[in-house]
Amino acid sequence: MTAPAVANAALDEIAVALPSQEPARATRDSRPLRLITCGSVDDGKSTLIGRLLWDTKAVKEDQAASLQRDSSGKQNDLGLPDFALLLDGLQAEREQGITIDVAYRYFSTDKRSFIVADTPGHEQYTRNMATGASTADLAVLLVDARVGLLEQTRRHATIATLMGIRQFVLAVNKIDLTNYDRSRFEQISHEFRELALSLGVRQVTAIPVSALKGENVVYDGRASMPWYVGPTLIEVLELATTRSAQTVGFRLPVQRVSRPGESFRGYQGTVAGGSVKPGDSVVILPSGMVANVTKIVTFDLVRNAAVAGDAITLVLDRQVDVSRGDMIAAIDSQPMTGLAFDAHIVALQPEGIQPGKRYWLKSGSRRQRVQVQPISQLELKSGKWNHADELPMNAIGKVHLTFDEQAIFDTYEQNRTTGAFILIDPDTNNTVAGGMINARRATIGGIHAEEHRVIMSLPADLADQLMATEIFASRREDVDIRRVNAAKAIEAIDAIDE
């Protein structure tokens, strides 16, 4: 036997003696991440998502063949297909080269699955962008490296913040067209971080990318950008957090009362927040009746607990008056109830929102009559709120909601399910607006109420922390705020003493 043969035989014996080891498997996050892409026109949003789909192997063979066929004559300098065609499905979108409708796509990696919404960049489709943002956990804002931040970038960042998104990825796209200019990337990143801070967002990841070439999207671009040592876009998405519905107590909007026989009465719905188990005490709203949970039933078994997202039938220990539209909630962590609330809304129809008009408000399975009074409209160019008596289509506004009977809500910041609603025109049955609850409004009070007042002079940072508290938000209508310098504050207080 030759020396190499002896060596190989010895290695084989060692390999047999050693226990076989399977390669370590990456832990997979079972919760899909919902994200949106937004930004100005021609920043490359659809191309970026198309590249994500292409490089994560989410494009099937027939789709790839169709893409190659549809891209005939449109290939770029690299000979690649037009990735935007994977998203832009409407004929008008393909003819004009723009995104009009919100396109949802699914893709996954070994670590996580994703649901991505490609939203329009044009101002006239603001409502479409707001719709896509309403369910997202993270926003990817694209900026053309050659142009920098634009008005539409600020508009979309503001809308995403209003919709409760607190995780931003700034994708500085087309970095290859600036010859991979590091200083340009850092300048844009700094400007955007200042904008994000002004909106109350601190979690921002800036990435220089070339969506067309696929650099720093799924695969890193170190060959072209050795100065960038941060994560790729897909790595950021894999580690992003999802919004939890556990921040509030148990919530079950009742969709149906089940009585298959005389001996069984259950209340069916999808858990909208928190968790519940047999033995927990709950309250039925708006009646205020109290009961205990005896059993949790699903379509195939009896459960010992249920959490947000579970479709269940709840059995209580006593006969209580519960009907469709009511809410069963944790007795020690109840939602807000009342006749008046403050909200943000996005107008969706050409007629807009008319002052004082009565609409149907639908939240979950509950539908109520409500009067809507516009208060102010967001000027998207500057980010300022201006007084408004009515809200045109695509406008984002603050409104007062006044109900005929008790309404039940959490704030949208705490729970997207129980804090969101739509407005329906009773004359046309059209959905005219989507909205988010900010706070319960006191039916009496306000800054002109005849009661004792306290004037305080606080440092700006302390005032900001105070205004961020839940108790302050619930009484916001009773407060008048003036931001002045220290000298004017002292002068005003001294004048009161005189």
Side-chain angles (χ1 to χ4, degrees), residues 15 46-47 68 88 93 110 122 126 140 187 193 195 258 302 319 327-328 332 339 352 387 412 440 442 485 487:
S46 297
T47 300
Q68 295 283 4
D88 295 335
E93 293 179 317
D110 292 337
H122 289 70
T126 295
V140 179
Q187 176 191 353
R193 291 182 192 279
L195 169 63
S258 173
V302 176
Q319 297 289 335
M327 182 179 291
I328 303 177
D332 57 350
L339 297 174
H387 175 76
Y412 185 79
R440 178 174 52 197
N485 57 38

Side-chain angles (χ1 to χ4, degrees), residues 268-334:
Q268 298 178 332
T270 300
V271 180
S275 61
V276 67
K277 62 184 185 300
D280 286 353
S281 296
V282 294
V283 60
I284 291 85
L285 299 173
S287 68
M289 299 182 68
V290 176
N292 296 315
V293 177
T294 60
K295 189 182 295 184
I296 302 170
V297 183
T298 62
F299 72 98
D300 61 344
L301 50 82
V302 176
R303 301 274 294 272
N304 57 12
V307 298
D310 291 342
I312 64 171
T313 300
L314 208 62
V315 181
L316 304 179
D317 66 344
R318 66 199 68 177
Q319 297 289 335
V320 291
D321 182 15
V322 182
S323 58
R324 175 179 168 84
D326 289 352
M327 182 179 291
I328 303 177
I331 195 169
D332 57 350
S333 178
Q334 300 182 26

Side-chain angles (χ1 to χ4, degrees), residues 396-442:
I396 297 173
K398 293 179 180 179
V399 299
H400 289 335
L401 303 176
T402 305
F403 293 86
D404 294 345
E405 56 186 13
Q406 288 282 327
I408 309 165
F409 293 107
D410 289 297
T411 62
Y412 185 79
E413 184 70 25
Q414 292 177 312
N415 190 312
R416 283 187 175 182
T417 302
T418 56
F421 61 88
I422 59 172
L423 294 178
I424 301 171
D425 190 323
D427 300 325
T428 63
N429 282 331
N430 288 333
T431 300
V432 296
M436 302 144 285
I437 294 295
N438 298 334
R440 178 174 52 197
R441 179 164 49 92

Side-chain angles (χ1 to χ4, degrees), residues 182-201:
R182 179 178 183 177
S183 62
R184 181 61 176 158
F185 166 72
E186 292 176 345
Q187 176 191 353
I188 295 173
S189 301
H190 177 72
E191 292 177 2
F192 184 80
R193 291 182 192 279
E194 288 187 337
L195 169 63
L197 284 174
S198 71
L199 297 172
V201 175

Side-chain angles (χ1 to χ4, degrees), residues 85-96:
L85 294 179
L86 289 171
L87 282 298
D88 295 335
L90 299 179
Q91 185 65 28
E93 293 179 317
R94 298 192 172 207
E95 290 175 352
Q96 300 178 56

Side-chain angles (χ1 to χ4, degrees), residues 202 458-470 472 483:
R202 291 175 172 79
L458 301 173
D461 59 338
L462 180 58
D464 290 338
Q465 294 179 36
L466 175 62
M467 289 187 289
T469 62
E470 183 177 346
F472 184 92
R483 290 186 181 268

Side-chain angles (χ1 to χ4, degrees), residues 2 41 117 151 155 176 201 264 274 282 343 398 410 423 459 498:
T2 62
V41 180
E151 177 186 330
R155 174 181 289 111
D176 53 311
V201 175
F264 184 90
V282 294
K398 293 179 180 179
D410 289 297
L423 294 178
E498 295 174 1

